[in-house]
Amino acid sequence: MKKAILSGNEAIARGFLEAGGKLAAAYPGTPSTEVLETLSRHKGIHAEWSVNEKVALEVAIGGALSGVRSMACMKHVGVNVAADPLMTAAYTGIHAGLVLMAADDPGMFSSQNEQDTRHFARLGKIPCIEPSDSSESLQYAKAAFSLSESFDTPVILRTTTRISHCKSVVEDGASESPAGRGLARDFGKYVMLPGNAQKRHVFVEDRLVRLRDWAETSPLNRVIGGDSEIGFITSGISFQYVREAFPNAAVLKLGMTFPLPEKLIKKFASSVMKLAVVEELDPFLEEQVRAMGVTVHFGKNVLPLCGEFSQRLVREKISGSPLPAKAPVAGLLMRPPTFCPGCSHRGLYTVLAKLKLHVSGDIGCYTLGALPPFSSMHTCICMGASISAAHGMAKGLALQGGSQQKPVAVIGDSTFLHSGITGLINMVYNGGDAIVIVMNNDTTGMTGGQEHAGTGRSAQGSEAPRLDIAKLCQAIGAKRVREIDSYNIKELEKIVKEELAEKGPSVLISNQPCVLRYRVSKKAYAVEKATCKGCKLCLKAGCIALSFTPEGKTGFVTIDPLLCNGCGVCAQLCTTGAMTQP
Amino acid sequence: MSVFNILISGVGGQGVLLTSKIIAEAALLAGLDVKQSEVHGMAQRGGSVLSQVRFGEKVFSPIVTEGEADLLIGFEPLETARYLHFLKDDGAVIYNTRTIGTIGVSIGAQQYPADVNEVIKSRVKKVMPFDGTQLAVTAGDKRTLNLVLLGAALSSLPLKEQFILDAIVNTVPKKVLEINQKAFAAGKVQNT
């Protein structure tokens, strides 16, 4: 068998293929993105970037109902968007296998919250399985399809950042090739009118009882014998931390974390002197174990609810004694993320900061405009919220009287198509009064540059119909739709001021490609030292290619030629003409 | 062998991930168990980036915690200093001395620490600072810094050179393989 090093996400993609999976749909979101990216390179299946997670899951439901094994992939907050179809697909069942791959982000490396997806499994009364490395990611993806079909249920395949993005050794397995089942047509099962749904709810409850029984003997749950002084119940990445921190301890490793095997858990608990339940985020397992009447000695009474774990944290918290530690070097500068040199968002935020506008923000690279030196994003809640929240702000401000300037919504192209459109329809329909700026950089930037309905290319990179954002906004009924050049800050400032003076919604669309995705590289600027007055106006561009060297009473600015991308925003801020493109 | 722990730190966009990918592949070729951890998404936008590689007979956790690292490969001085407390007492550091300002430095709100090289030297016995960026530019592309640093780290890795060389061929895109091999050789010479 061939060995390879794969990330958990790549391994899930391979597991999908080995399971004979045929249809996969996803919306990009860290840390889930690479599953569909990997699948988009394979022939003989359908893999697509859907416009949002709800659509992705509905496409996968349709795939399953058509008779082929199907999967939807998303990050944890995407499951909120997809929760509506998920809760009712739990009632209808699936025909062919249906898996929802959801990736949580403990520690919030790239997320706006730290919610625990396992609660959705309990809410929907459907199974949740959790791999603990890449090898299991492959195996569990296959197991998820078989479980789905055996019990006629959607299955949540839940990972966390350290499972999805860590790489470990994987061996190829045998491929299955399940025959297509053909289209499902069953009025009582797939048409969720109340009369049918009432019967299906009974089925759901019965299925849950049967799943609980199955969990007792499922190979997904296994006991690793060992020292019985402290026994551990754990799953996912926490299993690895427990094994490293307490290599000789007895462990009940749960591959399926909902529903739980009560008999197995009670038997294991009675075989050890003290019981520890080790899980990141919520006490999802622990509360269920306690509800069985089992005493948990170590759980969230010692382990944190927030952030991710490590082998060191598990060892320290369970043993109750801190390990020796060296102090980090004190007083080091932080290095927060920032716009890439040359990024089209920089010019926009230079203007928004200058005009001191109130900005209703959204999810994407442009969220970095909330950080200094711009500090020009004042809310960031969820995908698409910028436009709808700006509408609410404008209405709320109007009700309070006064003469405060109208709010500005900033949203990217992919996020606009994901769920910004509905907010704009709502704003236009309800007589809104705000400026909506769509920063169209022709890609899904923050997740590494994925295609979407506006790029003119499919997930495979082949030509696809290209949605025209300006025409769409006009069709919605927006009267004032203008194209802007976010690199031309003088012109941009003029346009924003004009729109502030108008009544009603204005939509401004910047069409400048992502410099990272499209490898845009213009000639670097340089500073003529003799001409630079050291006024620091250019530093408002907030670009890491710039640096200031104090000298005499003032100093001078230099541009790192290896970092500068030649966008010219800093040069437009310069009043002495010291910055030129040689 | 017991588990060997490596931290690779730098600034988003410097190519930290390729170095850890090659080391992990080399460990696999050597018949070892290996785990590699990295971070995607927001942190990659010019922020502090950390990748971790662990290999040995059997590896459980994919992450390296404080006091566990045998080797720290730093792509930038400040990002090297940030992880010094992760080193074992006899851990080694190989790092690029070319600095990249933080956004705080670039907007004139903060000063880049002038004494960063002294701080690193004072805390680590086995340390090798050098201008890797210059070697990468000389090799033909500043983006080959990751291979320059890998070359310089070679003598600190408990892996046969042939496994590293094969891993480079397996990992680096063919179009840029030659220039990357040149950068690796330049880094290796630096540390012999």
Side-chain angles (χ1 to χ4, degrees), chain A residues 482-535:
Chain A
R482 300 174 74 172
E483 194 171 324
I484 55 172
D485 175 358
S486 56
Y487 288 111
N488 185 343
I489 56 178
K490 206 174 258 176
E491 178 70 13
L492 182 57
E493 185 180 336
K494 185 174 149 268
I495 290 175
V496 172
K497 281 180 174 164
E498 283 168 11
E499 295 309 317
L500 283 170
E502 292 289 334
K503 271 269 164 241
S506 307
V507 182
L508 306 180
I509 303 164
S510 163
N511 294 305
Q512 298 289 351
C514 170
V515 292
L516 197 63
R517 164 70 176 81
Y518 295 99
R519 296 181 177 273
V520 178
S521 181
K522 295 179 202 150
K523 213 168 171 190
Y525 275 73
V527 179
E528 198 182 81
K529 199 182 156 188
T531 321
C532 176
K533 291 192 305 186
C535 69

Side-chain angles (χ1 to χ4, degrees), chain A residues 84-105:
Chain A
D84 200 359
L86 180 63
M87 291 304 126
T88 303
Y91 274 40
T92 62
I94 48 87
H95 193 42
L98 176 67
V99 174
L100 167 62
M101 181 270 175
D104 286 8
D105 190 14

Side-chain angles (χ1 to χ4, degrees), chain A residues 409-468:
Chain A
V410 173
I411 187 167
D413 44 342
S414 190
T415 308
F416 180 71
L417 300 179
H418 176 284
S419 49
I421 291 172
T422 43
L424 185 62
I425 293 171
N426 182 69
M427 182 190 284
V428 170
Y429 168 61
N430 287 304
D433 185 20
I435 299 179
V436 174
I437 300 178
V438 183
M439 294 302 290
N440 177 15
N441 61 4
D442 225 5
T443 193
T444 315
M446 185 60 94
T447 45
Q450 290 74 33
E451 307 296 345
H452 59 66
T455 66
R457 283 177 304 275
S458 70
Q460 287 72 23
S462 55
E463 203 180 320
R466 186 188 187 107
L467 181 142
D468 185 323

Side-chain angles (χ1 to χ4, degrees), chain A residues 157-470:
Chain A
L157 176 61
R158 184 236 189 190
T159 68
T160 55
T161 299
R162 296 296 184 185
I163 298 299
S164 278
H165 283 167
C166 286
K167 297 188 173 179
S168 56
V169 182
V170 169
E171 288 185 22
D172 283 344
S175 284
E176 303 163 36
S177 37
R181 296 178 173 210
L183 197 58
R185 187 182 284 190
D186 182 339
F187 169 73
K189 190 167 184 294
Y190 297 116
V191 184
M192 284 302 94
L193 287 164
N196 290 343
Q198 283 155 7
K199 294 187 191 92
R200 292 303 296 176
H201 187 187
V202 176
F203 167 83
V204 167
E205 299 300 340
D206 174 64
R207 181 179 67 198
L208 191 55
V209 172
R210 287 184 285 117
L211 279 163
R212 268 198 192 104
D213 283 347
W214 184 79
E216 299 287 354
T217 53
S218 163
L220 293 172
N221 301 325
R222 62 191 165 95
V223 173
I224 297 156
D227 190 347
S228 62
E229 198 183 334
I230 305 175
F232 291 84
I233 296 178
T234 186
S235 66
I237 194 65
S238 297
F239 167 73
Q240 306 291 357
Y241 300 147
V242 166
R243 290 287 281 157
E244 183 139 347
F246 297 92
N248 302 315
V251 177
L252 169 56
K253 180 190 181 296
L254 296 171
M256 183 156 90
T257 49
F258 190 82
L260 292 182
E262 188 167 339
K263 286 182 208 136
L264 183 62
I265 285 170
K266 283 182 169 167
K267 192 175 154 205
F268 178 77
S270 66
S271 74
V272 297
M273 283 148 75
K274 285 183 174 172
L275 185 67
V277 179
V278 180
E279 57 191 320
E280 291 177 324
L281 304 180
D282 294 344
F284 182 78
L285 302 175
E286 183 183 338
E287 284 176 355
Q288 293 181 77
V289 170
R290 285 184 191 278
M292 294 169 190
V294 173
T295 304
V296 177
H297 298 85
F298 304 103
K300 293 296 173 183
N301 54 342
V302 292
L303 291 160
L305 289 158
C306 308
E308 66 164 352
F309 289 2
S310 68
Q311 58 269 33
R312 184 186 176 92
L313 179 143
V314 170
R315 190 155 34 203
E316 286 184 333
K317 298 294 179 189
I318 302 289
S319 69
S321 54
L323 294 165
K326 291 182 211 166
V329 177
L332 284 181
L333 299 186
M334 296 303 288
R335 192 187 294 276
T338 181
F339 294 129
C340 302
C343 177
S344 62
H345 301 325
R346 177 168 286 107
L348 172 75
Y349 280 103
T350 305
V351 171
L352 295 178
K354 186 180 174 194
L355 298 177
K356 297 189 168 60
L357 297 174
H358 190 87
V359 177
S360 172
D362 226 301
I363 309 280
C365 286
Y366 45 88
T367 314
L368 296 173
L371 303 177
F374 310 109
S375 306
S376 284
M377 180 174 287
H378 306 98
T379 52
C380 168
I381 301 157
C382 69
M383 293 286 287
S386 59
I387 301 178
S388 6
H391 172 61
M393 286 170 200
K395 289 291 177 193
L397 284 172
L399 290 167
Q400 296 167 71
S403 59
Q404 210 162 334
Q405 228 150 17
K406 59 173 150 184
V408 175
V410 173
I411 187 167
D413 44 342
S414 190
T415 308
F416 180 71
L417 300 179
H418 176 284
S419 49
I421 291 172
T422 43
L424 185 62
I425 293 171
N426 182 69
M427 182 190 284
V428 170
Y429 168 61
N430 287 304
D433 185 20
I435 299 179
V436 174
I437 300 178
V438 183
M439 294 302 290
N440 177 15
N441 61 4
D442 225 5
T443 193
T444 315
M446 185 60 94
T447 45
Q450 290 74 33
E451 307 296 345
H452 59 66
T455 66
R457 283 177 304 275
S458 70
Q460 287 72 23
S462 55
E463 203 180 320
R466 186 188 187 107
L467 181 142
D468 185 323
I469 293 176

Side-chain angles (χ1 to χ4, degrees), chain A residues 5 34 110 162 166-167 244 311-312 326-327 333 335 337-338 445 519 539 542-544 546 562, chain B residues 24 35-37 40 42 45 48 54 61 63 66 68 76 79 82 87 100-101 103 106 123 142-143:
Chain A
I5 299 174
E34 297 78 10
S110 195
R162 296 296 184 185
C166 286
K167 297 188 173 179
E244 183 139 347
Q311 58 269 33
R312 184 186 176 92
K326 291 182 211 166
L333 299 186
R335 192 187 294 276
T338 181
R519 296 181 177 273
L539 302 184
C543 179
I544 53 165
L546 302 175
L562 292 180
Chain B
K35 284 188 176 166
Q36 177 201 345
S37 187
H40 298 221
M42 186 172 264
R45 299 287 167 268
S48 176
R54 312 185 73 204
S61 168
I63 60 176
E66 294 91 331
E68 283 184 341
E76 200 276 344
E79 297 316 312
R82 201 180 303 286
L87 283 168
I100 298 178
I103 190 66
S106 294
R123 299 215 5 171
K142 64 174 177 179
R143 284 174 294 183

